[in-house]
Amino acid sequence: MQKYNYLVIIIKLPSDFFQIAVLLFIEEKIIENYNKNSYYKNVIAVSKGIGMAVNKTLHSANPKKETRGKGRPRAFDRVSALHSALEVFWQQGYEPASVADLCKAMHINPPSLYATFGNKASLFLEALRHYEHIYWDAPAARFMKEPDIYTAVEDFFSEAAKILLSPETPCGCMVVLAAVNISETEKEIIETVRKFRLASKKMFADRLRQAISEGQIPADTDVPALAGALNTLLEGLSIQARDGLFQSELKAFASYAVRMLPPRIQ
């Protein structure tokens, strides 16, 4: 085999399957399978100056040297990772939650976090949407479908009290608590959280207008004010839940929501 003058610097990567070799050559050459007895098959493109070669592990020519794998690696579970990130944001808030804390909770490394979610802000926004979907989409749908406005309000706030103090989740609403004290530079997060809050207020307003059209509450009901009051109570329940109230206490507060409604039209 023809000899070549070169300097090889091996950079070991964490992966068992890849190595990167930076080579300094005098002449432009191509060496293919330069060592047939090696466990690796190397295809190296050589250029004047500095070239780079990636050694990729292939099947060994000697079966005795091949070790049996330990099975397929576990597939990445995006939903599980989002839920883990959600708990970190829920407990710490957006600003205090570090990338290291998030990676530890999700069992991934920082490069994987950035490759999968983009950055910390994008992860927070996806976790926020995950939270709304998992915990509030179904109660909101039941609220809108319930024919009687008084039953709808009473049931929704009773269910909200259960959600906010659920043993499966940290106490309080993520929309209210996790986005507190966010830097003004995080405009997308601030705007998204504001939209979520406005969406719940709109939900109350839409249901109140439906009740007016169906003759359940007076036509002169101040819908924007009442919807705002109901939404403020919902957000206030989150703060109270974070302060460690008992389920019975939070339910007692929630029971006042239906009392905000005007008298039923007879």
Side-chain angles (χ1 to χ4, degrees):
M1 179 177 180
Q2 186 177 356
K3 295 183 178 179
Y4 301 95
N5 296 319
Y6 57 84
L7 173 66
V8 179
I9 305 172
I10 300 295
I11 304 173
K12 293 285 291 184
L13 294 178
S15 170
D16 292 334
F17 302 103
F18 296 94
Q19 291 180 330
I20 292 180
V22 181
L23 303 97
L24 183 62
F25 290 89
I26 295 177
E27 294 183 345
E28 180 175 354
K29 300 289 179 182
I30 294 179
I31 307 173
E32 180 174 0
N33 198 17
Y34 70 92
N35 187 351
K36 294 183 180 180
N37 296 322
S38 172
Y39 181 69
Y40 298 96
K41 179 179 179 182
N42 304 276
V43 180
I44 306 175
V46 183
S47 60
K48 290 182 179 180
I50 296 178
M52 180 173 288
V54 178
N55 292 343
K56 181 174 290 187
T57 303
L58 298 178
H59 293 294
S60 172
N62 186 355
K64 294 182 180 179
K65 293 183 179 180
E66 187 173 349
T67 58
R68 185 177 180 180
K70 296 182 179 180
R72 296 177 60 185
R74 185 176 62 181
F76 176 72
D77 188 337
R78 192 183 190 93
V79 173
S80 178
L82 277 175
H83 198 78
S84 298
L86 172 63
E87 291 187 358
V88 174
F89 286 128
W90 214 335
Q91 294 168 349
Q92 300 185 22
Y94 173 74
E95 292 287 354
S98 68
V99 170
D101 291 335
L102 292 165
C103 288
K104 182 179 179 180
M106 294 188 290
H107 303 291
I108 60 176
N109 55 34
S112 295
L113 185 151
Y114 291 116
T116 305
F117 299 102
N119 54 32
K120 177 183 168 182
S122 298
L123 173 60
F124 176 79
L125 292 173
E126 189 168 343
L128 189 63
R129 296 183 184 99
H130 175 70
Y131 165 78
E132 286 288 310
H133 171 66
I134 293 297
Y135 293 101
W136 294 103
D137 280 2
R142 286 190 286 270
F143 173 73
M144 296 302 293
K145 289 180 180 179
E146 168 57 46
D148 182 76
I149 183 62
Y150 297 90
T151 302
V153 170
E154 185 174 18
D155 289 351
F156 177 82
F157 276 87
S158 177
E159 189 171 1
K162 292 179 182 178
I163 293 172
L164 295 173
L165 284 179
S166 170
E168 299 176 358
T169 61
C171 296
C173 174
M174 183 176 173
V175 174
V176 175
L177 300 174
V180 174
N181 298 325
I182 289 181
S183 171
E184 293 182 358
T185 60
E186 299 287 356
K187 297 185 183 299
E188 185 178 5
I189 292 178
I190 293 172
E191 181 61 21
T192 300
V193 170
R194 187 183 75 86
K195 286 180 179 179
F196 275 121
R197 289 174 175 168
L198 289 177
S200 61
K201 184 177 179 180
K202 181 179 182 299
M203 177 189 73
F204 289 128
D206 290 345
R207 188 64 188 82
L208 290 170
R209 292 190 180 96
Q210 179 183 337
I212 291 174
S213 67
E214 294 172 352
Q216 296 183 28
I217 59 177
D220 60 354
T221 299
D222 189 340
V223 171
L226 183 52
L230 291 170
N231 198 51
T232 300
L233 176 59
L234 181 61
E235 293 183 355
L237 291 177
S238 295
I239 304 298
Q240 295 295 322
R242 191 62 177 263
D243 287 344
L245 266 66
F246 292 109
Q247 185 75 244
S248 58
E249 294 175 302
L250 202 65
K251 276 192 169 185
F253 293 164
S255 68
Y256 276 84
V258 71
R259 304 182 194 186
M260 294 181 181
L261 300 178
R264 184 190 298 271
I265 295 179
Q266 301 298 328

